[in-house]
Amino acid sequence: MILPVAFKYVKGNAMADILASRGMASSRTATAHPSLAARIGAAVAVWRQRRTLAELPDHLRQDLGLTETQIQQELRRPVWVVPQYWRF
């Protein structure tokens, strides 16, 4: 049985947990590994956000409370170095 995307297995998803406990979830939906396309899309999103941060005018940087040094540190980070809550 292949589940619709809405019931894709995610830890804590009650419906998916019930189906998995009954052996009704397919192995394809039980894995939490993102596709290569999803990983590339996430990397591009991180790159765009950091590029946008670099292009902010000074008054907006001050509103955010960021210094030039902090922004440069963020820009030097690789695209795969992101906060834990962004990770797959």
Side-chain angles (χ1 to χ4, degrees):
M1 172 180 179
I2 297 193
L3 299 174
V5 175
F7 293 119
K8 183 177 179 182
Y9 185 76
V10 176
K11 186 175 182 178
N13 180 336
M15 182 58 130
D17 288 341
I18 291 168
L19 292 173
S21 70
R22 295 180 183 172
M24 297 172 68
S26 72
S27 61
R28 190 185 86 167
T29 59
T31 61
H33 301 292
S35 68
L36 179 60
R39 289 177 186 258
I40 291 171
V44 169
V46 169
W47 175 77
R48 283 183 181 159
Q49 290 175 13
R50 289 179 180 164
R51 184 183 68 188
T52 302
L53 180 64
E55 296 171 352
L56 284 177
D58 289 336
H59 71 280
L60 292 178
R61 291 177 182 193
Q62 289 174 354
D63 286 349
L64 292 172
L66 297 173
T67 65
E68 184 64 30
T69 304
Q70 290 171 320
I71 291 172
Q72 290 304 317
Q73 286 175 342
E74 185 65 26
L75 295 176
R76 284 192 297 268
R77 294 169 71 187
V79 294
W80 57 85
V81 177
V82 294
Q84 184 65 36
Y85 59 90
W86 285 13
R87 296 183 184 163
F88 291 103

